[in-house]
Amino acid sequence: MRRSSQTMIHKPPPLTVAKVLETFRRIAKESGKNSKEKKKNHVRALLVAACDCEPKYLIRLLLKDKLRIGLSELSLLEALACAAAYAEKHSVSCGSFQSDLSKAVDVLKGVHSMVPVYERIVPALLDGGVWNLADTCSFSLGIPCEPMLSAPAKSVSEIVNRYHGIEYTCEYKYDGIRAQIHCMDDGSIRIFSRKLECCTNQYPDVILAVKRLKRVPVKSCVLDCEIVGYDSEQMKILPLQKLMTRGRKGVHVDNIKINACIFAFDLLYLNGQSLLQEQLKIRRKLLKDSFEVETGILQFATALDSSNLDEIQVFLDKAVNASCEGLVIKTLSVDAAYEPGKAKWVKLKKDYLESMWDSLDLVPIGAYFGKGRRTAFYGTFLLACYDPDKEEFQTVTKAGTGFSEEVLKEHCQILSSKMIPKPKPYYRHISGKTTPDVWFEPSEVWEVKAGGLTISPVYCAGSDILNSNKGFSLRNPTLIRPREDKSPEQATTSKQIAEMYFRQWQGNPHMPPDDEEINS
DNA sequence: AGTGCCTGCCC
DNA sequence: ATTCTGC
DNA sequence: GCAGAATGGGCAGGCACT
């Protein structure tokens, strides 16, 4: 890079916003052989033309996600809102300007969660102003709104207490992929992911199902649902890991190996009208009137309308037994509108309940340097279980959450003193894929909770129990506490981990794929 | 053709 | 996804 | 209560290299 700028004879013209945008688009489009080199050249050209503070911001823009200067989408919306409020300062006279400002921000936030497309928001803003924006720019067919979210609850009693005296429903929380399905007036279908990506082409089978099972009076609608892997032979839900193996590009119905079942739970739009403001009670009724059910193809989320603690507890157990993650609790009439992007529903997963979660005692045998606020600390620890037969520690997972900064600091200090230059001969891991920055003597034992067990291509816990080259790992590992009463050799064993894995699919005859069955 | 590595997207 | 932290 | 920033497993896809 330096060389090329030195040999440059003419200074390139100054950068413009349009030019930068255009180059970014080119970088995005570049593909195929040597595309990396070509992308590099685009970046080089930008940096060569940049002056003053421009390189800094270019780099920050190129470091995906955010500007990394504290400017997030929210700040952008606030800026837009302020601009609009200033522009209309004299047209509104009620209340203080400060309160107008914050009202404008609320309007922008609300509108953006329903129509997350600046190309729609800005023209509407310029056209009708902020105070009409909610009307001039609202939820519309073909454009996904942010999905409504749920906040975690720690117990059934927490639910019962919070919603005392009001109507609510408990639905199975399916372990699949959230989808918002738009049925357009012309009969076409569009599917959007939780992050609003268009994934229409990924689910031709889902599209056929929706078209076939949509009732005649439904001209247009928007479904909120979970797409779940389904074994049509055994009529059982498949693990998410299976569903995820489906192709993502150029998918044709005939080549689909993993079937998908739609579990619908909400209807956001029907025949030209937004239903977002309707109570769930109404939306659910309209949903059920709008579609035929076909087992394993399109079903409604299993639900229980009850306020009884014991009934809900039993229902939660049933959900877990049916290979679901737990329950989602939703009010039916009070405060029961669909609020895009807001976490007004409540989720109750088995991993939140101390009595139900999977807990393992694992040994930190390595660590990785942290980033950002964890610079100068370890950000992550490599954890292992113990195999008493082979007398070796086998890697299971990394863990980087569940401790406060203070506790993290302590762990870092203690473990630093146990650092060793090379892994012990009795450490088993898959080199390359999970090699940590530093290795430790086996000394600590930590209790870790998990939202379930997975089959892993990179960890080797219990790998000789599986036929393939794979081992077991953890989903959503979280540190709970040090087990000062345990020595490393008393850590959870690989055999125990294997048992946990198979136990989680009891009640569901579908076992892991053939090549992953237990060695005999 | 096969492998390894990285990214982007699911959770 | 979960969790913690600062506002 | 919320937003932001740390961090997790794992999949397909795509490029580079052998």
Side-chain angles (χ1 to χ4, degrees):
Chain A
M1 294 246 184
R2 196 188 309 132
R3 185 181 310 255
S4 67
S5 73
Q6 279 174 344
T7 56
M8 181 106 21
I9 297 169
H10 302 290
K11 255 203 173 142
L15 290 175
T16 61
V17 171
K19 168 76 178 168
V20 173
L21 177 62
E22 190 205 317
T23 310
F24 278 9
R25 292 213 161 115
R26 278 206 193 139
I27 293 171
K29 267 200 209 154
E30 215 70 73
S31 75
K33 197 162 159 66
N34 295 328
S35 59
K36 264 192 177 163
E37 198 55 39
K38 288 179 189 163
K39 288 182 182 200
K40 259 194 248 170
N41 286 335
H42 288 307
V43 174
R44 181 177 302 150
L46 280 177
L47 289 175
V48 164
C51 45
D52 302 327
C53 61
E54 284 172 0
K56 183 164 112 184
Y57 288 95
L58 278 175
I59 296 295
R60 286 177 170 176
L61 284 166
L62 288 162
L63 293 173
K64 63 167 184 195
D65 266 2
K66 300 149 210 170
L67 274 176
R68 304 220 165 177
I69 49 173
L71 182 73
S72 65
E73 180 117 57
L74 183 58
S75 315
L76 204 63
L77 284 172
E78 280 178 15
L80 257 185
C82 289
Y86 276 111
E88 296 174 45
K89 194 166 181 175
H90 305 293
S91 62
V92 199
S93 51
C94 57
S96 71
F97 183 63
Q98 270 307 318
S99 81
D100 275 358
L101 263 187
S102 68
K103 269 187 232 158
V105 171
D106 287 344
V107 170
L108 260 296
K109 275 199 221 168
V111 166
H112 184 265
S113 65
M114 274 184 261
V115 186
V117 183
Y118 289 104
E119 286 84 344
R120 298 278 292 237
I121 297 174
V122 174
L125 197 52
L126 293 173
D127 212 43
V130 229
W131 312 116
N132 298 315
L133 193 64
D135 300 316
T136 57
C137 188
S138 55
F139 182 51
S140 35
L141 199 58
I143 299 177
C145 68
E146 286 182 8
M148 193 153 166
L149 306 172
S150 48
K154 279 199 152 60
S155 66
V156 176
S157 58
E158 186 184 328
I159 306 289
V160 173
N161 293 337
R162 176 177 333 185
Y163 292 135
H164 183 73
I166 61 178
E167 264 187 314
Y168 56 95
T169 186
C170 309
E171 292 174 352
Y172 280 11
K173 186 178 192 306
Y174 294 88
D175 191 10
I177 292 177
R178 184 80 176 269
Q180 194 177 111
I181 304 179
H182 289 233
C183 304
M184 311 295 288
D185 289 294
D186 65 1
S188 67
I189 309 270
R190 297 184 198 175
I191 307 179
F192 302 94
S193 72
R194 180 192 140 121
K195 292 272 180 63
L196 313 185
E197 297 291 326
C198 176
C199 49
T200 307
N201 298 325
Q202 210 181 321
Y203 301 103
D205 50 344
V206 167
I207 290 174
L208 288 180
V210 168
K211 284 185 176 168
R212 186 158 57 84
L213 298 169
K214 179 161 61 87
R215 290 204 157 112
V216 178
V218 181
K219 302 301 173 207
S220 64
C221 69
V222 174
L223 268 180
D224 193 0
C225 63
E226 194 79 7
I227 295 175
V228 181
Y230 198 86
D231 181 336
S232 314
E233 304 288 310
Q234 311 210 36
M235 311 268 281
K236 289 286 179 182
I237 284 173
L238 293 176
L240 175 66
Q241 242 185 317
K242 279 267 165 215
L243 179 69
M244 297 298 285
T245 64
R246 285 173 52 127
R248 311 206 180 150
K249 291 191 162 174
V251 181
H252 296 285
V253 202
D254 328 297
N255 297 335
I256 291 174
K257 305 223 165 49
I258 304 293
N259 288 127
C261 178
I262 304 159
F263 286 91
F265 51 76
D266 217 322
L267 191 70
L268 314 188
Y269 187 98
L270 180 61
N271 292 337
Q273 286 208 295
S274 166
L275 301 179
L276 298 184
Q277 264 105 339
E278 303 293 338
Q279 300 174 355
L280 174 58
K281 215 176 185 173
I282 310 278
R283 302 200 306 275
R284 192 172 64 172
K285 167 82 163 66
L286 293 171
L287 168 68
K288 292 193 171 175
D289 290 346
S290 298
F291 285 87
E292 305 280 347
V293 165
E294 195 176 309
T295 306
I297 304 287
L298 190 159
Q299 302 177 217
F300 299 122
T302 301
L304 171 76
D305 297 2
S306 164
S307 309
N308 181 281
L309 189 141
D310 295 327
E311 277 179 33
I312 296 174
Q313 184 63 58
V314 169
F315 194 61
L316 171 61
D317 292 340
K318 269 180 69 180
V320 171
N321 260 325
S323 306
C324 287
E325 294 185 301
L327 302 175
V328 181
I329 288 84
K330 308 171 178 178
T331 59
L332 282 167
S333 47
V334 177
D335 209 13
Y338 191 95
E339 303 191 51
K342 300 234 166 136
K344 290 254 180 149
W345 293 337
V346 176
K347 55 184 167 186
L348 192 52
K349 306 210 321 193
K350 70 173 196 319
D351 19 327
Y352 308 152
L353 305 182
E354 206 163 341
S355 57
M356 292 179 90
W357 73 41
D358 289 306
S359 161
L360 299 85
D361 299 320
L362 302 173
V363 182
I365 61 167
Y368 305 80
F369 301 131
K371 308 200 167 159
R373 65 191 185 202
R374 296 223 183 136
T375 306
F377 298 104
Y378 300 130
T380 306
F381 299 93
L382 178 61
L383 305 180
C385 65
Y386 188 61
D387 183 332
D389 300 330
K390 304 194 141 192
E391 297 188 333
E392 62 184 18
F393 291 94
Q394 304 170 343
T395 55
V396 203
T397 189
K398 292 188 284 194
T401 193
F403 35 67
S404 63
E405 277 181 349
E406 201 185 333
V407 170
L408 171 63
K409 218 184 279 184
E410 283 171 30
H411 288 322
C412 288
Q413 209 156 43
I414 294 170
L415 285 169
S416 290
S417 68
K418 305 282 180 184
M419 206 187 299
I420 50 177
K422 277 194 283 185
K424 298 280 185 187
Y426 51 86
Y427 284 0
R428 211 144 75 78
H429 71 114
I430 297 175
S431 72
K433 295 185 183 178
T434 59
T435 307
D437 296 321
V438 297
W439 294 98
F440 304 127
E441 199 92 38
S443 55
E444 303 275 294
V445 179
W446 292 346
E447 182 180 359
V448 170
K449 79 158 175 169
L453 303 188
T454 55
I455 302 260
S456 169
V458 297
Y459 294 102
C460 43
S463 59
D464 30 59
I465 299 170
L466 297 169
N467 268 336
S468 58
N469 249 349
K470 301 175 172 178
F472 296 103
S473 188
L474 309 185
R475 197 170 171 186
N476 303 333
T478 301
L479 232 67
I480 299 300
R481 61 181 173 126
R483 289 290 307 256
E484 274 149 24
D485 55 315
K486 277 199 172 185
S487 69
E489 290 76 16
Q490 293 172 306
T492 301
T493 65
S494 28
K495 205 180 261 180
Q496 286 174 315
I497 292 178
E499 278 162 16
M500 293 170 91
Y501 178 83
F502 292 112
R503 192 178 62 220
Q504 84 188 344
W505 294 102
Q506 78 175 24
N508 185 336
H510 183 90
M511 274 306 205
D514 308 328
D515 62 354
E516 281 162 1
E517 274 168 18
I518 305 182
N519 263 335
S520 36

